Amino acid sequence: MSAAQLESTLTWTFNAPCQVPDDVSKTLISGETVLHAFKTIRDIAIFTNKRIIVRDAQGLTGKKVETYSLPYSSIKMYSTENAGKIFDVNSEVELWTMVGHIKINLGKDIDIREFDRIISEAIL
């Protein structure tokens, strides 16, 4: 997969905090703990003390699941942008990693400054 393909593939919108699904909990390694979880329309992003896990439900039924795992050690730089007032309702997070660029849009129910702290604590 080329960097351009990877970049266009890894864009998500996190809408609200949520619970961690059982199938993801079973994949955590020894010493790994969940810090936060956010849902998209059908997907879930889990932030642990070691990595970001994105559970991507696919197909009509959502039974086929692809899982992305991004160790914090691969994040080289990040930026956050708070939402505007009237027409700009999403905040944005951008991650520059060893494998490419990832963009995350945050819905109005997610505090951008809390999200900023989550990323900072994980990679600094």
Side-chain angles (χ1 to χ4, degrees):
M1 180 178 288
S2 73
Q5 288 172 317
L6 183 62
E7 183 175 326
S8 66
T9 303
L10 297 178
T11 300
W12 291 287
T13 299
F14 300 165
N15 296 316
C18 68
Q19 297 295 316
V20 178
D22 289 337
D23 63 330
V24 172
S25 295
K26 293 175 185 176
T27 67
L28 302 179
I29 63 170
S30 177
E32 186 174 21
T33 57
V34 172
L35 305 174
H36 300 276
F38 301 97
K39 64 181 177 178
T40 67
I41 293 172
R42 291 178 44 169
D43 306 328
I44 295 177
I46 297 93
F47 289 74
T48 76
N49 59 326
K50 299 184 179 291
R51 60 186 165 155
I52 301 169
I53 302 168
V54 177
R55 183 185 181 278
D56 182 8
Q58 300 178 354
L60 293 174
T61 63
K63 290 184 179 184
K64 181 178 179 181
V65 175
E66 183 171 7
T67 303
Y68 296 89
S69 178
L70 178 69
Y72 294 124
S73 60
S74 71
I75 299 173
K76 299 302 179 189
M77 184 176 90
Y78 75 96
S79 70
T80 59
E81 179 181 303
N82 63 306
K85 295 291 180 190
I86 298 172
F87 299 111
D88 184 16
V89 295
N90 284 340
S91 299
E92 295 177 0
V93 177
E94 293 188 70
L95 306 174
W96 285 267
T97 73
M98 293 188 306
V99 296
H101 181 237
I102 300 168
K103 184 174 181 179
I104 301 168
N105 297 306
L106 301 177
K108 63 181 178 172
D109 292 334
I110 300 174
D111 180 355
I112 184 66
R113 294 304 152 224
E114 179 184 354
F115 200 87
D116 200 5
R117 185 185 52 77
I118 293 167
I119 297 292
S120 294
E121 286 180 356
I123 66 172
L124 298 178

